[in-house]
Amino acid sequence: MGMSKVVQVRNVPDVVRAALTRRAAAAGLSLSDYVLLELVAARDANSALLHDLALLPPSSISGADAVRAVRDDRARELARRVARP
């Protein structure tokens, strides 16, 4: 596999770093180990999602139309919730 390399992430907001530090401590891990696990988990989740999406049958609806439909549904739901007495 080769030697491990260092990756530095700059300009991380204080609130994000604090949350990651708390989560790492709660998991009993160093911040570095926790972030690495999160990156690997995200990669694996995205890979699984892409695999599942590839198995779906072709659709006649475009991606833009699907996004628009979801946004419209969310807007209607929000309007319904706000209109409640």
Side-chain angles (χ1 to χ4, degrees), residues 14-77:
D14 290 340
V15 66
V16 172
R17 187 180 192 290
L20 290 171
T21 301
R22 281 192 307 275
R23 292 177 189 169
L29 298 169
S30 69
L31 179 58
S32 187
D33 287 342
Y34 181 79
V35 170
L36 179 59
L37 286 174
E38 287 294 308
L39 288 171
V40 170
R43 180 199 62 200
D44 292 347
N46 287 337
S47 178
L49 175 61
L50 290 173
H51 176 265
D52 292 347
L53 288 173
L55 298 176
L56 292 175
S59 174
S60 60
I61 188 170
S62 73
D65 288 340
V67 169
R68 204 170 294 111
V70 169
R71 285 183 181 158
D72 290 347
D73 287 345
R74 287 181 182 166
R76 280 191 294 276
E77 177 62 18

